[in-house]
Amino acid sequence: MKKKIKNAKVIKCRTLKNVLNETVGDHFHFDFFSLDIEGAEYDALMSIDFSLVSFGVIFVESDEHNPLKNMAVRTLLTSVGYTFIKDHNRSYWFVNNDFGRIYEDLIH
């Protein structure tokens, strides 16, 4: 038998894909994206349609206790057009493979 928690509030959760779609719509580019959601980074990234949303630079929290998740994040982002740059201060840094083209007017 399930016990009910007194004064518990139901929280509606949404995928990152839905949050992005509801706030910026389809086909949007962000210059910078930092993701740190306590171990659920891979699941959040999996919900994104990278054909509709892109980023110039991505920081993703790397988890010293979960190397398999870290490798899955690297594999996923590499497969959708990002290059792993480094692991710094418990964050994996990625850059868009088209960074030079995207920012050519800003880089001299």
Side-chain angles (χ1 to χ4, degrees), residues 55-75:
F55 308 94
V57 174
I58 301 174
F59 287 6
V60 179
E61 179 189 33
S62 58
D63 185 351
E64 62 190 20
H65 303 292
N66 194 343
L68 289 176
K69 182 209 78 168
N70 296 340
M71 186 54 65
V73 165
R74 284 181 68 169
T75 301

Side-chain angles (χ1 to χ4, degrees), residues 13-73:
C13 296
R14 299 178 295 167
T15 63
L16 184 54
K17 175 183 177 179
N18 289 343
V19 171
L20 292 171
N21 191 4
E22 292 166 12
T23 57
V24 298
D26 289 343
H27 302 295
F28 197 83
H29 177 79
F30 295 90
D31 293 318
F32 178 76
F33 178 43
S34 178
L35 184 61
D36 179 353
I37 51 176
E38 305 311 317
E41 292 81 10
Y42 178 75
D43 293 328
L45 290 169
M46 282 295 294
S47 81
I48 297 173
D49 184 343
F50 285 93
S51 68
L52 300 176
V53 178
S54 62
F55 308 94
V57 174
I58 301 174
F59 287 6
V60 179
E61 179 189 33
S62 58
D63 185 351
E64 62 190 20
H65 303 292
N66 194 343
L68 289 176
K69 182 209 78 168
N70 296 340
M71 186 54 65
V73 165

Side-chain angles (χ1 to χ4, degrees), residues 3-9:
K3 282 187 163 183
K4 290 192 174 190
I5 299 172
K6 287 184 178 182
N7 302 320
K9 294 183 181 184

Side-chain angles (χ1 to χ4, degrees), residues 85-99:
I85 301 298
K86 66 178 176 175
D87 180 357
H88 182 70
N89 290 336
R90 292 186 15 191
S91 287
Y92 278 4
W93 297 18
F94 298 87
V95 65
N96 191 306
N97 289 346
D98 293 326
F99 189 91

